[in-house]
Amino acid sequence: MRRLRSLEQWELFPYMGKWLLMACAAAVLAGSASAFFLLALEWATNTREASPWLIGFLPLAGFVVGWAYQRVGKSVEAGNNLIIDEIHDPRKIIPRRMVPLVLIGTVVSHLFGASVGREGTAVQMGGALADQLTHVFRLRADDRRILLMAGMSGGFAAVFGTPLAGALFGLEVLAIGRMRYDALFPCVIAAIVADQVCLAWGVHHTHYVVDHVCALTLLPVLGVIAAGIVFGLVGLLFATATHHLGGWMKRRIAYAPLRPLLGGAVIALSVSVLPAWRYIGLGIPTIVEAFQHPVAPWDFAGKFAYTVASLASGFKGGEVTPLFYIGATLGNALAPLLHLPVGMLAGLGFVAVFAGAANVPLACTVMAIELFGPSIAPFALIACVVSYLFSGHAGIYHAQRLGRAKHVRHLPEDLRLAEVKAYRKKLRETPAVTDDVP
């Protein structure tokens, strides 16, 4: 008996029991919050589509959301980046106010016509709610990190109905080129349970159909590599444009509520003047359409512009569903040029642009399998990895760290993505030190 207790495997039973309890608790909170959020989002979308005049109140809605964050939400304004930073460098429990603020802010943004997503809200709610269990279970810093990761996985899995991708997202999004396998079991349990909890509340997810996948031969593989390069560059451009425009507005407009007020006015006016209704909100109908037949080749650019404007102005939500839209419609536009099926390339763009913009190629590959079926797996892996490489060392989450650089050797580990540009500039300005040659 003493020998049995000394076995490493014997110690797994209390470990698994502990994380089954804590991951399930976090998952119930994340799944329930995501279900309520998705139902509220469906109501907001239906209401806006039935009352197009609501777009005229987008500037006022933006001001109210900005004012609320200015008054009581400064400590949680960083959103997903705050959670990622807390996982890397634990300091204090994420305030509970993050949950109602991001929930209401996102629903209001969608109700009045901003082009934002939903993943940011679900991940923030999942992480913040999971963190409230830190005191309940009296967790140490290392266990708190893992619980936060499980909360992120649960929120992502529940909002998209992709539990395997959700589990990988919580592991992969923290650092480029490095994953924490000590959190694998909690993240898997949290993602699966949160997805089931969300479904139990009566939420249904959109079903996407890829009706034909090419045989795995040379020409289709080369075509997917070419498409992956474009997907990665678009992901890079999206992340860079969002951060640069957001930074420019912060420098030019000191009072935060004025940013979404002015941004909302520009968006509302342009939507009223231009035929741009399909570029606001989530845009799920257009995404579904991109899988079925050719759409306007400029649809991806329209969604790109309205999403960058909305997020940089300060409207709340996320980037992922707009990136799905951009990727699906971009893939749709590239399909005839590369002689590939429209539905297949729309599906690859759907996941690969996000893979490049968020630096999560494995999670996006698994998401493609969960959404479109296993036959697309080899092409999805190629597209996501190529996109990931060509998006460079940038991304939509500035708090991501460099675990290992993608293809260059002069970037140090644990550097935040927000610091990469400054580090490279300093490196260029520092003269190289060489040994004297006699």
Side-chain angles (χ1 to χ4, degrees):
M1 187 65 180
R2 183 178 300 175
R3 180 179 297 179
L4 179 63
R5 289 180 178 175
S6 67
L7 290 176
E8 178 184 348
Q9 286 73 19
W10 184 259
E11 299 175 358
L12 287 174
F13 289 103
Y15 168 84
M16 292 180 68
K18 177 182 78 173
W19 282 112
L20 271 173
L21 173 63
M22 292 195 296
C24 285
V28 169
L29 294 174
S32 299
S34 294
F36 179 80
F37 168 59
L38 289 175
L39 293 173
L41 204 57
E42 183 180 9
W43 167 82
T45 300
N46 292 338
T47 302
R48 187 192 70 246
E49 291 177 349
S51 307
W53 51 267
L54 285 172
I55 190 71
F57 291 92
L58 182 62
L60 179 60
F63 181 86
V64 171
V65 171
W67 179 84
Y69 270 85
Q70 178 80 359
R71 290 296 300 271
V72 298
K74 285 186 176 181
S75 60
V76 297
E77 191 174 11
N80 288 342
N81 290 307
L82 172 62
I83 297 176
I84 294 173
D85 276 331
E86 281 296 326
I87 293 172
H88 285 292
D89 302 306
R91 294 175 184 174
K92 60 181 180 180
I93 303 299
I94 296 171
R96 290 189 298 270
R97 70 188 67 179
M98 172 180 273
V99 177
L101 278 172
V102 73
L103 172 64
I104 296 171
T106 304
V107 172
V108 168
S109 297
H110 279 280
L111 177 63
F112 293 97
S115 176
V116 291
R118 50 190 174 174
E119 134 281 338
T121 305
V123 169
Q124 288 175 53
M125 291 193 301
L129 289 170
D131 208 18
Q132 307 313 309
L133 300 174
T134 297
H135 290 316
V136 176
F137 294 113
R138 299 179 181 179
L139 300 180
R140 298 171 301 174
D142 284 344
D143 285 346
R144 181 182 170 230
R145 288 189 179 101
I146 294 175
L147 189 61
L148 277 169
M149 294 168 68
M152 293 178 69
S153 292
F156 189 94
V159 81
F160 293 124
T162 53
L164 301 184
L168 282 175
F169 176 83
L171 296 165
E172 194 177 18
V173 74
L174 302 177
I176 293 176
R178 182 179 65 204
M179 289 201 295
R180 289 192 52 168
Y181 286 94
D182 58 336
L184 182 58
F185 179 71
C187 286
V188 168
I189 295 299
I192 293 173
V193 174
D195 177 53
Q196 292 300 309
V197 168
C198 188
L199 293 174
W201 283 107
V203 172
H204 301 285
H205 299 287
T206 306
H207 183 56
Y208 303 99
V209 178
V210 175
D211 55 6
H212 176 63
V213 176
C214 292
L216 192 64
T217 57
L218 179 60
L219 288 180
V221 167
L222 293 176
V224 170
I225 291 174
I229 294 172
V230 177
F231 295 149
L233 293 175
V234 169
L236 169 63
L237 183 60
F238 178 89
T240 303
T242 303
H243 293 317
H244 281 191
L245 181 58
W248 181 84
M249 293 193 72
K250 288 179 180 178
R251 291 191 299 272
R252 295 284 181 173
I253 305 171
Y255 187 53
L258 287 181
R259 298 171 203 148
L261 173 69
L262 296 177
V266 172
I267 293 169
L269 180 62
S270 64
V271 169
S272 301
V273 174
L274 303 172
W277 290 98
R278 64 196 282 118
Y279 306 136
I280 62 174
L282 286 175
I284 298 295
T286 305
I287 298 176
V288 173
E289 189 180 349
F291 283 82
Q292 299 169 346
H293 56 77
V295 298
W298 54 82
D299 275 348
F300 80 93
K303 188 64 173 178
F304 185 108
Y306 277 91
T307 304
V308 168
S310 297
L311 292 172
S313 299
F315 286 97
K316 302 303 174 183
E319 301 91 346
V320 176
T321 303
L323 285 170
F324 290 163
Y325 183 121
I326 293 167
T329 52
L330 176 59
N332 183 288
L334 292 174
L337 301 177
L338 298 173
H339 303 288
L340 293 171
V342 165
M344 172 182 151
L345 207 54
L348 295 179
F350 183 103
V351 293
V353 171
F354 173 45
N359 297 303
V360 286
L362 298 182
C364 288
T365 299
V366 173
M367 172 177 274
I369 297 170
E370 290 185 286
L371 292 177
F372 314 134
S375 62
I376 204 170
F379 290 113
L381 182 58
I382 293 169
C384 289
V385 169
V386 172
S387 176
Y388 162 79
L389 290 173
F390 274 82
S391 66
H393 294 89
I396 55 178
Y397 306 125
H398 259 174
Q400 272 182 327
R401 299 318 201 252
L402 285 178
R404 186 172 182 84
K406 295 182 182 181
H407 54 81
V408 294
R409 299 181 181 274
H410 61 267
L411 293 176
E413 292 186 3
D414 292 323
L415 190 69
R416 294 175 87 248
L417 288 193
E419 301 165 350
V420 170
K421 184 178 179 180
Y423 180 85
R424 280 180 160 170
K425 181 180 179 181
K426 181 180 179 181
L427 204 63
R428 288 194 300 268
E429 294 174 350
T430 303
V433 178
T434 58
D435 294 332
D436 293 333
V437 179

